[in-house]
Amino acid sequence: MKSTIAITGATNTAGKLLSEQLAAKGFSLLLLSADTDALQAWNSGLQEKFPLVNIDSMQCSYNASWEADILVLNETREHVLEIASHVKEVVTRKPVIVLQAGEQPIPVQEVAAALPHCNIKEATKENIVPMIEALYQ
């Protein structure tokens, strides 16, 4: 059984690319975005393209992080740290991947300090899918 992956920032360019790549590989997805209209549209498009894959959209990072096996933080530094403080109780011992897709790198040590009981990893758009696949083979 494939893992469930929560992706924050699912409607930005990196989030769309990642969610499409993971859906193509059969991973269940929980998509998160502050832009609810774009999120609904993207979710519908993915479900149409990958009808056999479980794809859901959520507004609450806490609930999505609780349900997911892996959390991908694909946001600005401020949002990543805000989400980390919000979900720290439910991501204990789970892999949390910081996707370095923006212009300003996110200091992974800050995320690790906010989520001390998690397996924090850093990824780029190029290596994140193989990293996720390696976590659950």
Side-chain angles (χ1 to χ4, degrees), residues 88 91-94 112 114-120:
K88 66 183 171 188
V91 294
T92 300
R93 294 184 168 64
K94 291 184 183 183
L115 299 172
H117 303 293
C118 294
N119 180 8
I120 308 295

Side-chain angles (χ1 to χ4, degrees), residues 2-54:
K2 292 277 187 169
S3 300
T4 299
I5 302 163
I7 304 170
T8 68
T11 58
N12 67 32
T13 303
K16 284 183 173 182
L17 177 64
L18 177 60
S19 57
E20 189 163 21
Q21 290 172 330
L22 292 173
K25 293 188 176 284
F27 286 96
S28 295
L29 302 176
L30 297 172
L31 307 177
L32 294 110
S33 176
D35 186 340
T36 55
D37 292 337
L39 183 60
Q40 286 178 336
W42 180 240
N43 188 354
S44 295
L46 279 177
Q47 287 180 347
E48 189 174 305
K49 189 171 183 177
F50 303 102
L52 300 178
V53 177
N54 183 18

Side-chain angles (χ1 to χ4, degrees), residues 13-129:
T13 303
K16 284 183 173 182
L17 177 64
L18 177 60
S19 57
E20 189 163 21
Q21 290 172 330
L22 292 173
K25 293 188 176 284
F27 286 96
S28 295
L29 302 176
L30 297 172
L31 307 177
L32 294 110
S33 176
D35 186 340
T36 55
D37 292 337
L39 183 60
Q40 286 178 336
W42 180 240
N43 188 354
S44 295
L46 279 177
Q47 287 180 347
E48 189 174 305
K49 189 171 183 177
F50 303 102
L52 300 178
V53 177
N54 183 18
I55 302 170
D56 200 2
S57 57
M58 301 182 87
Q59 291 302 120
C60 179
S61 58
Y62 185 91
N63 290 341
S65 298
W66 181 80
E67 289 184 37
D69 300 304
I70 301 170
L71 173 61
V72 176
L73 296 172
N74 173 41
E75 301 278 353
T76 63
R77 176 185 172 276
E78 293 76 24
H79 285 114
V80 163
L81 294 176
E82 181 182 319
I83 291 168
S85 70
H86 185 65
V87 303
K88 66 183 171 188
E89 295 173 9
V90 294
V91 294
T92 300
R93 294 184 168 64
K94 291 184 183 183
V96 176
I97 302 173
V98 178
L99 180 57
Q100 300 286 7
E103 292 180 19
Q104 291 190 338
I106 299 164
V108 176
Q109 63 274 19
E110 289 183 28
V111 179
L115 299 172
H117 303 293
C118 294
N119 180 8
I120 308 295
K121 297 188 175 294
E122 182 176 21
T124 64
K125 291 182 278 187
E126 293 76 27
N127 73 355
I128 190 166
V129 173

